[in-house]
Amino acid sequence: MKSERSYAGVLLCFFLSGFAALLYQTAWMREFSFVFGTSELAVATVLAGYMAGLSLGAAIAGRLAHRVRRPVWIYGLLELGIAVTALALPLAIQGVRAIAVWAFAQPEGPPAAGGVAVTLFTLTASFVILVIPTALMGATLPLLSRHAVQRDNQIGSRVGVLYAINTLGAIAGTVVAGFALLPALGLHQTVLVGVAVNAGVFVLAALLARGQESRVSAPSHRPTAFRWQRADWVLPLILMSGMVSFSYEVLWTRLLGQILGGSVYAFSTMLASFLAGITLGSALAARFARDPERSAVGFVWSQLFVAVFSLAAFHLVDRLPTWVVQWDVGRFAGLHPSDAVFGVLLLLPSTLAIGATFPFAVRITARGVEDAAAATARVYAWNTVGAIVGALGAGFLLIPTLGFAASLGIGVALNLALAAVASWVLSPRKWIGVVLAAGLGLASWFWAPQTPWNLLRFAPIARVVQPGELIFEEVGRSATVLVRRREGAYYVMNNGLAEAAVRPVWDPGADLTNRWLSSLPSMARPQAESLLVIGLGGGVVVEEVPASIREIDVIELEEAVIEANRVLASRRFADPLSDPRVRVIENDARGALTLTSKRYDAIVSQPSHPWTAGASHLYTREFFDLVKDHLEPGGVFVQWIGLAFVDQELLRVLVATLLDVFPHVRVYSPPSYAAVLFVASEQALPIEETVQEAIERSPETFKKIGIQVPEDVFISLELDEVGARAFSQGAPVSTDDANILQVRSPGVLGRALLRARSLDFLAPFDPVERIAPGLDLVYAWVRMQQNRPHHPRLERLRDAAVGREGAILDRWAAKNEGRGARLEALSELASGSGREGRRAQEVLALVLRPAILRAPRAVEASKLQVLREPFRAVVEGWSRQGRPRELEDLDARLGAVRPSDLLYPEATRMRARWRVVEGSPGRAREALDLLDGISLASNGNFSDFFLYARAAVRAGDTGLALSSYRNAAQAAQRSGSAARKRLREIQAQVARIPATGEDGLYRQEILLWIRDALEQSAPPLRR
């Protein structure tokens, strides 16, 4: 009875050991990534060092275990040693960082990943730092086997149970760390929980060890009943088995990541799913591993089952998207529980078989009770070495080179080969296993796995299989990258997550957010000449960087993303990789910046999806510190965040984190409403004063995004430096230790700011009063009223305007005032001189516009006499609105309207309209040039897109016409009661365009989209 209580206590200890071990692995891998980055090479190298320590510890324990008198006591001391070294490990990592910077820093720029010297240093450093705690971990199983195994028939069973209970603890550690400890406590305190658990295990082990003593005996080499005497074959077999099993783990982690996403919760779920089967398999096999003969048969059948069930799972994996959507029960902590359930069920049969191999192998290897600990150590060490080879080989060679299907096929073939060899050298019925393996191999040849395209095209956020023609697909080292063509655009997907929409060669339409992202550095620092962009994505940010920037470095983590951009080079409107200023570096941003001393005038960071491994550590205080260290004095940092990924509190966290590093922070929201941009610097950011110089240096760049004057930038300013500090006051700072965005962002997807399409909660921090004195408030108010008619700033702009500016805005806004009095007051203001007089002229014209368009002759001539040129020409143009050919006579006068005038868009449309009606290709191309400055920045104006499309038709540019009609259709869908009429008009125009080949396919896609839009907006049928 006492012996049984002692065994139960040992099992509890070993459960807690596994729990703590996974806490440490999770924490240590992250801490190393802060030094070496999250490139696949760096992560795999650190993992190899970690597992090498486990293998070494097991090997040493196997040689010494027979000398240990009190194995439970020594086990407790090992646990205490793990706790002590865990406390010291962060300091060692910081020391390694200092050595790496000293030895490998490059002044000429960020290095690419994969350098031999850096890789060897990473491997050596990780092994040296981790060897003590991991070796102590690896020694625990052999020592406990020494204590637990008392009889020959317990070798397989008790070692199997120990292995299973330790793995069960690892599952608990994985889940608790991912879902509870890391979100609640952060990295450092999670490690302290592991330290406390190890210390508790030491105390418990010390109590269990009281009064216990084992005899010292050398390993037995006596012949056993296992008459074939070929047990040593098991070691290379278990090495190969570990290699194949870990290649499966890498493969399934990549595949299930397409469903679960890349969050810390998803990783914990995937790892727990894999370990769950191993736990059950080891526990079940322990019941049958009573003697070497049955264990040999069990080992053969385990390999056969791994092959069969892995192949079956791969054939079923393409159905996962359908299943998880049909059985979706909502979200929890950023995950859909149905995804995890189906993942576990899919992997359970094969992982059961994988888990069974270990106890079978130990029982075959052990020559008796005295050899149990040594046999356990040998099997564990060889299996771990195989795991290292399998993880590295699959991640770096097999999957990127051959893809998922071929990699799975090789794994199945190796399992069958292992079964055949094991049957031949170990089993009494050697031919049975060989024949079964050969038959299953032949069946798998005919039932060969195919690439699961349905799964790879699944978008875990949208919960749909993305439609469209595949243009590019590549399984990279860290991600699966697809490019699909739909409605003429090219969409870059990374592990199912959207990276970018790339414009086709015929579409000059502006992605305003990305154009702002690449232009804001020049607005803040017009003299800036060097730029670093973190994250290539679809290359949209570097398509049209202002010409004043002379050098552009781009850091991209995944090589497949770079290759996707190369494939799109001839298909896109602007190829960033052909820009001689651009140099692309394949590496993790933190790892690359750590190893260079180069400084830049500006750094732009646009990592997508802040919960993923490659992006989450680019939103912390430590990363912002690293950025500051690589900026020239006065340099600026621009940070992107998608509004789909944050709520109000996370936005406060981001601002607070930036302010913890940079004293000056501003927040802008470009007209697309899809993202906010943060501008940060150690020096002041008077962008309203500096942007004019930037416009003069690169006028075409800023014209295309609708920035003609400083007020065009101001209307997108949400927070200035004072407002940013007030808004973020009291908000926590996101750090490497407590990465708030990583753990909270997945959970806000259903209630993110993008859904609200409003940042009204920033209204109390509005910068109007602080910035208004130097601005043209009439221009700012009118432009904001046209583009953002419900923005709360409009009222404050009116309140800030004084004198003649205030009077002009009062008259504009006085909709209920008597028309005559209103016009009389504006006419009086318009008779003045200076900027206010000119603005009053324009506002008077805009107030008269509806009446002129309704009944041109009914507008009193006296009201128009006050208008001076060129605004009188615009009013005359309105009166000829139904006779566009007559606008040609006004062209010279309309051309005198300046881009900084409120009436510039109206004048430009008139100049373009008569050219389109005139009909010649040359005039149509002139119209396109004119419209470039307003239609691309019109924020979804249907009329501009429609006019642009008509010009493209007359110019003979079919692709551009279709693209513009698509933009017009999307704008029309948002136009309320006029939507159906406009969509039908576009439908008729598109149907008339003669198009073949890719253009013809594009036309058909647009027509189908319009048909669906019309059906969705159709009124309900009435009886």
Side-chain angles (χ1 to χ4, degrees):
M1 182 66 69
K2 182 178 179 181
S3 174
E4 291 303 317
R5 285 198 301 269
S6 174
Y7 179 58
V10 166
L11 292 180
L12 175 60
C13 286
F14 213 36
F15 173 87
L16 295 174
S17 293
F19 178 89
L22 259 292
L23 293 187
Y24 291 140
Q25 182 178 345
T26 302
W28 293 343
M29 294 297 290
R30 292 192 184 189
E31 289 185 28
F32 271 101
S33 73
F34 300 148
V35 177
F36 298 115
T38 57
S39 70
E40 191 69 15
L41 180 61
V43 172
T45 303
V46 173
L47 180 62
Y50 184 97
M51 298 181 72
L54 295 176
S55 180
L56 179 63
I60 294 173
R63 289 182 174 274
L64 301 178
H66 67 281
R67 301 180 182 178
V68 176
R69 291 178 179 274
R70 302 174 67 187
V72 176
W73 168 247
I74 299 301
Y75 159 75
L77 290 177
L78 295 181
E79 291 291 314
L80 186 61
I82 294 168
V84 172
T85 54
L87 290 173
L89 193 131
L91 293 176
I93 292 177
Q94 291 306 311
V96 165
R97 183 183 188 278
I99 296 172
V101 171
W102 172 78
F104 301 108
Q106 300 181 7
E108 64 272 16
V116 175
V118 174
T119 302
L120 289 176
F121 175 80
T122 305
L123 180 61
T124 303
S126 59
F127 177 76
V128 169
I129 290 175
L130 295 173
V131 65
I132 295 178
T134 55
L136 296 177
M137 291 176 189
T140 55
L141 178 58
L143 276 175
L144 290 185
S145 300
R146 166 80 171 146
H147 168 79
V149 176
Q150 302 294 323
R151 298 189 300 275
D152 190 75
N153 64 354
Q154 292 178 341
I155 295 174
S157 60
R158 289 207 165 180
V159 171
V161 169
L162 283 170
Y163 185 73
I165 205 72
N166 187 251
T167 309
L168 183 63
I171 295 173
T174 298
V175 174
V176 171
F179 286 88
L181 295 181
L182 285 172
L185 303 179
L187 202 58
H188 178 65
Q189 292 191 58
T190 296
V191 171
L192 293 182
V193 170
V195 169
V197 170
N198 284 136
V201 171
F202 164 71
V203 173
L204 182 56
L207 293 173
L208 292 171
R210 292 173 61 186
Q212 294 185 355
E213 183 174 332
S214 297
R215 67 183 186 277
V216 179
S217 57
S220 171
H221 296 287
R222 292 179 291 105
T224 67
F226 192 35
R227 59 180 179 274
W228 299 279
Q229 297 298 314
R230 294 180 181 176
D232 288 343
W233 274 89
V234 173
L235 296 179
L237 290 176
I238 199 67
L239 182 146
M240 292 294 296
S241 177
M243 184 183 75
V244 177
S245 298
F246 262 73
S247 69
Y248 285 144
E249 182 177 351
V250 172
L251 183 143
W252 286 115
T253 299
R254 293 282 299 273
L255 288 175
L256 291 183
Q258 298 284 145
I259 292 287
L260 295 167
S263 70
V264 62
Y265 310 111
F267 177 79
S268 297
T269 301
M270 286 184 284
L271 184 57
S273 301
F274 201 83
L275 294 176
I278 292 176
T279 301
L280 291 173
S282 182
L284 290 172
R287 300 177 61 86
F288 299 98
R290 301 286 182 179
D291 57 65
E293 290 85 351
R294 279 191 291 185
S295 296
V297 174
F299 187 88
V300 172
W301 279 104
S302 295
Q303 297 300 322
L304 293 173
F305 284 145
V306 171
V308 170
F309 291 137
S310 296
L311 185 63
F314 197 85
H315 278 283
L316 292 173
V317 75
D318 217 25
R319 302 183 185 181
L320 268 184
T322 302
W323 295 341
V324 299
V325 171
Q326 287 180 344
W327 295 90
D328 201 346
V329 293
R331 296 174 63 86
F332 170 74
L335 277 179
H336 294 261
S338 57
D339 299 356
V341 170
F342 280 110
V344 170
L345 293 177
L346 190 72
L347 297 186
L348 187 61
S350 61
T351 52
L352 279 170
I354 290 172
T357 59
F358 186 81
F360 286 141
V362 170
R363 187 62 193 93
I364 298 168
T365 304
R367 294 175 172 85
V369 174
E370 298 85 356
D371 192 40
T376 301
R378 291 196 298 271
V379 171
Y380 186 87
W382 282 67
N383 187 254
T384 304
V385 171
I388 296 172
V389 176
L392 295 177
F396 285 99
L397 181 64
L398 205 60
I399 294 175
T401 304
L402 302 178
F404 294 117
S407 298
L408 188 282
I410 291 173
V412 168
L414 286 174
N415 282 130
L416 294 175
L418 284 171
V421 172
S423 180
W424 184 261
V425 300
L426 301 176
S427 174
R429 300 174 182 175
K430 56 183 65 180
W431 284 105
I432 293 180
V434 174
V435 171
L436 283 174
L440 290 172
L442 185 63
S444 67
W445 179 266
F446 288 103
W447 201 35
Q450 303 296 318
T451 301
W453 291 116
N454 204 43
L455 174 71
L456 297 180
R457 295 173 65 162
F458 183 74
I461 296 178
R463 311 292 290 170
V464 295
V465 176
Q466 297 286 3
E469 174 193 2
L470 275 181
I471 300 299
F472 170 84
E473 44 84 16
E474 184 171 321
V475 179
R477 289 179 176 175
S478 61
T480 302
V481 178
L482 305 180
V483 178
R484 58 187 180 85
R485 178 192 175 281
R486 186 186 179 199
E487 296 173 10
Y490 302 100
Y491 297 89
V492 181
M493 310 295 293
N494 189 326
N495 284 339
L497 301 174
E499 283 288 333
V502 179
R503 297 170 296 153
V505 67
W506 55 73
D507 183 5
D511 181 329
L512 290 180
T513 298
N514 285 295
R515 293 283 185 86
W516 271 69
L517 194 55
S518 60
S519 300
L520 262 173
S522 295
M523 297 184 207
R525 301 288 185 261
Q527 300 83 11
E529 295 185 348
S530 59
L531 173 68
L532 172 65
V533 177
I534 296 173
L536 175 63
V540 182
V541 170
V542 283
E543 275 186 349
E544 295 188 56
V545 177
S548 56
I549 301 293
R550 298 184 177 182
E551 177 189 8
I552 306 169
D553 284 349
V554 181
I555 300 177
E556 170 56 46
L557 177 63
E558 175 54 60
E559 183 182 8
V561 171
I562 302 172
E563 185 59 31
N565 278 272
R566 292 193 184 106
V567 170
L568 286 174
S570 62
R571 297 171 176 261
R572 66 192 304 161
F573 178 76
D575 174 25
L577 300 185
S578 65
D579 188 331
R581 300 175 295 171
V582 173
R583 179 174 73 106
V584 180
I585 301 128
E586 182 199 345
N587 204 341
D588 171 84
R590 285 185 69 158
L593 287 177
T594 298
L595 298 181
T596 185
S597 56
K598 183 176 181 179
R599 292 175 177 265
Y600 297 87
D601 295 323
I603 297 177
V604 168
S605 181
Q606 54 152 356
S608 302
H609 314 103
W611 60 85
T612 59
S616 62
H617 67 318
L618 303 181
Y619 288 96
T620 65
R621 178 182 59 200
E622 289 80 1
F623 173 67
F624 296 153
D625 271 322
L626 187 63
V627 165
K628 185 175 72 171
D629 291 341
H630 289 80
L631 284 172
E632 294 284 3
V636 293
F637 173 54
V638 181
Q639 172 74 57
W640 171 96
I641 188 67
L643 291 179
F645 311 140
V646 292
D647 57 9
Q648 181 176 342
E649 287 307 308
L650 283 181
L651 199 62
R652 292 180 68 234
V653 167
L654 270 170
V655 177
T657 305
L658 280 163
L659 280 169
D660 199 56
V661 177
F662 296 97
H664 302 277
V665 173
R666 287 187 167 206
V667 180
Y668 288 86
S669 63
S672 62
Y673 301 101
V676 292
L677 308 179
F678 308 90
V679 187
S681 179
E682 287 192 289
Q683 296 181 10
L685 295 164
I687 294 180
E688 293 77 24
E689 300 172 15
T690 57
V691 68
Q692 192 61 50
E693 182 182 346
I695 294 171
E696 293 168 1
R697 286 171 176 260
S698 304
E700 288 301 315
T701 298
F702 290 98
K703 176 184 175 183
K704 288 183 178 180
I705 57 176
I707 296 177
Q708 307 281 4
V709 292
E711 289 76 13
D712 291 321
V713 181
F714 170 72
I715 62 177
S716 291
L717 176 64
E718 298 293 347
L719 295 173
D720 67 346
E721 292 89 329
V722 175
R725 289 197 175 277
F727 170 67
S728 62
Q729 187 174 12
V733 172
S734 188
T735 66
D736 287 346
D737 179 55
N739 193 329
I740 299 172
L741 257 74
Q742 183 184 48
V743 299
R744 282 204 53 215
S745 184
V748 307
L749 290 175
R751 50 187 173 83
L753 295 176
L754 185 64
R755 286 178 174 267
R757 298 184 69 83
S758 171
L759 298 174
D760 288 352
F761 56 84
L762 297 178
F765 315 98
D766 198 292
V768 166
E769 294 181 359
R770 292 179 293 276
I771 298 179
L775 294 177
D776 183 341
L777 296 185
V778 176
Y779 181 96
W781 192 93
V782 173
R783 281 285 180 259
M784 179 163 274
Q785 197 274 339
Q786 291 171 341
N787 294 330
R788 303 184 178 194
H790 305 295
H791 200 289
R793 177 175 299 163
L794 286 169
E795 184 175 346
R796 281 186 293 278
L797 274 172
R798 283 179 53 201
D799 292 341
V802 295
R804 293 170 67 190
E805 283 190 323
I808 293 169
L809 290 182
D810 286 342
R811 300 285 70 75
W812 173 279
K815 302 293 185 183
N816 299 323
E817 185 179 286
R819 180 173 178 273
R822 185 183 181 202
L823 292 177
E824 184 176 347
L826 280 172
S827 297
E828 182 179 348
L829 291 166
S831 63
S833 59
R835 185 179 75 180
E836 292 84 357
R838 190 175 181 88
R839 290 295 181 232
Q841 294 253 328
E842 294 183 279
V843 169
L844 175 60
L846 289 170
V847 170
L848 288 169
R849 181 176 182 272
I852 294 172
L853 293 177
R854 276 196 310 271
R857 297 179 181 178
V859 178
E860 302 93 329
S862 60
K863 303 300 182 187
L864 302 179
Q865 288 178 352
V866 72
L867 294 177
R868 297 188 291 271
E869 290 292 345
F871 304 137
R872 182 187 289 273
V874 175
V875 173
E876 290 183 31
W878 288 333
S879 68
R880 305 180 188 183
Q881 199 74 343
R883 306 184 302 278
R885 288 185 179 275
E886 297 181 13
L887 294 173
E888 183 177 359
D889 298 337
L890 300 174
D891 192 73
R893 294 163 63 196
L894 292 171
V897 179
R898 300 187 301 226
S900 58
D901 289 329
L902 291 171
L903 293 179
Y904 177 75
E906 293 289 335
T908 302
R909 292 181 186 111
M910 293 179 193
R911 299 183 67 202
R913 189 172 291 113
W914 75 259
R915 286 171 166 81
V916 172
V917 173
E918 195 266 3
S920 68
R923 290 297 191 188
R925 281 190 286 271
E926 290 176 8
L928 292 174
D929 290 338
L930 287 167
L931 291 170
D932 270 348
I934 59 170
S935 63
L936 303 186
S938 64
N939 194 28
N941 185 299
F942 164 78
S943 299
D944 288 339
F945 286 136
F946 193 80
L947 181 60
Y948 201 90
R950 290 179 59 203
V953 170
R954 298 294 175 89
D957 194 332
T958 302
L960 179 58
L962 291 170
S963 177
S964 301
Y965 276 129
R966 178 203 62 190
N967 293 335
Q970 291 171 337
Q973 196 180 30
R974 301 188 293 267
S975 59
S977 59
R980 291 181 61 80
K981 178 181 178 181
R982 290 177 171 179
L983 285 171
R984 291 195 181 282
E985 187 176 5
I986 296 169
Q987 187 179 45
Q989 295 291 338
V990 171
R992 293 194 195 102
I993 296 177
T996 58
E998 189 168 337
D999 286 350
L1001 177 62
Y1002 188 20
R1003 181 184 63 179
Q1004 188 62 26
E1005 288 174 341
I1006 294 173
L1007 290 172
L1008 289 173
W1009 185 90
I1010 294 174
R1011 185 198 66 184
D1012 292 342
L1014 286 168
E1015 290 177 355
Q1016 291 169 11
S1017 62
L1021 294 174
R1022 301 180 183 275
R1023 295 195 176 200

